[in-house]
Amino acid sequence: MQKGNNSNCRVFELSKKSVKARGKAAKTICSTSDYDYQKCIAIDALGKLVAGGSTDGTLAVVQYPSLRQAFPYVEAAGEVNDVDFNASGKWLAVATDNELKVISTKDGSLVQNIDGPRTASGQPAVFRFAKFGTNSESKVKGRIEAKSVLYTVLNTKSRKLAYIAMWDTKQWTRIATRPVCQSAITTFALSPSGRLLAVATASLQIAICDAYTLKVLLRVPAAHSFAITALAFDRDDKHLISGSADETCQ
C-alpha cells in the first residue's frame, strides 16, 4: 500500500453458499495512506462501467468485466461523497462537500460544474448525495418525453436541516429545493421507477418523498437503534429495505 500498488476494487462471484473472488482487481485509490478508502461506487445501467470515489479525492472509472481504466483518474475537489451514472451511461455525477461535477464517461471531460452549495434561503451547505432521475412526463411535438433531472442532497453546515434539490440537466438550473428533515441526511435512494425518493437521517429517521414534487409522503421515526447505512427499493416500488450499523435489516 505504501508503494501505491493497492488493487482495492475487486470482483466476486456470489452464490447461495459462498462468495468467491474471481481474480480480477483494479486500483481506484491513488493514496498511499492506510486511512483512505473507497467510499462510494456505482455501475452504469448497461453494466459496462464501474465508478469509484475515494476519501482522498480520487475518481476512477473502469470497464467491466476487464477492469481496465476507461480514462485517467480524475481528481475531485475533496473527499468523494457520491457518484452516479445517468440513464444512458454517458454522464457521471461526482459529489464532494463543496462541488458537484458532471463528467463525460467517454473521456472524463467536464460537462458541468456546480460549486458553493447553498439552500434556497442562502444557508451554506454541503453536497452529500447526487442521483440522476426523470421528472414528470410532458408532451414535446406530440411525443411523450420524460425530463432528465439530477437530485442532490444538501446538508446545512450546522447539520440541523437537510434539503433535496432538483436540477434540470439541459439548462442546469435548479427546479426546486425542499426541506426534508431537521437533521443531516446520511443515506439516499431513488426507486427503480423514478417516482420515489428515500432518505435516512442522523436522528435515525427514514422519510419517503415524491420524486416529482419532493413532498414528504411518509416518516418513520426511530427506524433503527444505530446509524442507518443503506436504503434500497424493490423493483416494484412497494417495499423499502433499510440496513443499519445495529446489525439489522428491515
Side-chain angles (χ1 to χ4, degrees):
M1 182 176 291
Q2 290 180 347
K3 294 180 180 180
N5 297 324
N6 179 29
S7 296
N8 58 287
C9 182
R10 305 177 186 183
V11 178
F12 294 85
E13 184 175 318
L14 304 180
S15 69
K16 291 182 179 180
K17 295 183 179 180
S18 64
V19 179
K20 296 180 180 179
R22 291 179 58 180
K24 293 184 178 181
K27 175 184 172 183
T28 63
I29 300 176
C30 294
S31 174
T32 57
S33 169
D34 56 4
Y35 289 102
D36 287 313
Y37 59 92
Q38 184 173 292
K39 185 175 181 178
C40 50
I41 193 168
I43 303 173
D44 79 325
L46 297 177
K48 294 183 177 181
L49 293 173
V50 180
S54 67
T55 55
D56 73 336
T58 301
L59 170 72
V61 178
V62 298
Q63 300 168 347
Y64 182 82
S66 68
L67 297 190
R68 286 192 288 265
Q69 273 190 300
F71 48 80
Y73 297 118
V74 174
E75 292 303 317
E79 181 174 312
V80 180
N81 293 326
D82 198 20
V83 291
D84 191 53
F85 291 95
N86 71 341
S88 68
K90 293 181 179 180
W91 290 353
L92 177 69
V94 185
T96 63
D97 278 3
N98 298 311
E99 185 179 62
L100 176 70
K101 286 181 182 289
V102 178
I103 64 173
S104 167
T105 57
K106 182 179 180 180
D107 55 12
S109 60
L110 183 66
V111 174
Q112 183 66 32
N113 186 77
I114 302 170
D115 55 16
R118 291 182 177 272
T119 67
S121 62
Q123 294 182 70
V126 298
F127 289 118
R128 184 60 183 86
F129 295 99
K131 303 289 182 192
F132 283 103
T134 55
N135 205 322
S136 54
E137 297 177 340
S138 59
K139 283 190 176 182
V140 179
K141 295 182 180 180
R143 297 175 301 175
I144 299 296
E145 292 188 357
K147 188 175 184 179
S148 176
V149 297
L150 178 67
Y151 298 100
T152 57
V153 166
L154 297 170
N155 287 335
T156 58
K157 291 191 174 182
S158 66
R159 296 181 64 85
K160 293 181 179 179
L161 285 171
Y163 296 74
I164 296 177
M166 180 165 51
W167 302 79
D168 181 335
T169 60
K170 287 187 177 181
Q171 303 297 325
W172 290 108
T173 53
R174 196 186 302 204
I175 300 169
T177 305
R178 184 182 285 268
V180 177
C181 46
Q182 295 183 341
S183 64
I185 290 173
T186 58
T187 314
F188 182 52
L190 174 66
S191 72
S193 71
R195 296 178 180 177
L196 296 173
L197 305 171
V199 300
T201 73
S203 62
L204 308 182
Q205 180 186 98
I206 291 175
I208 297 175
C209 307
D210 184 306
Y212 300 160
T213 65
L214 306 184
K215 181 181 178 181
V216 176
L217 304 175
L218 175 69
R219 294 186 189 275
V220 182
H224 286 271
S225 61
F226 207 58
I228 300 168
T229 55
L231 290 173
F233 287 93
D234 70 353
R235 293 181 180 180
D236 300 321
D237 291 8
K238 292 183 178 179
H239 300 91
L240 177 69
I241 299 93
S242 62
S244 167
D246 65 9
E247 301 183 353
T248 65
C249 292
Q250 55 187 33

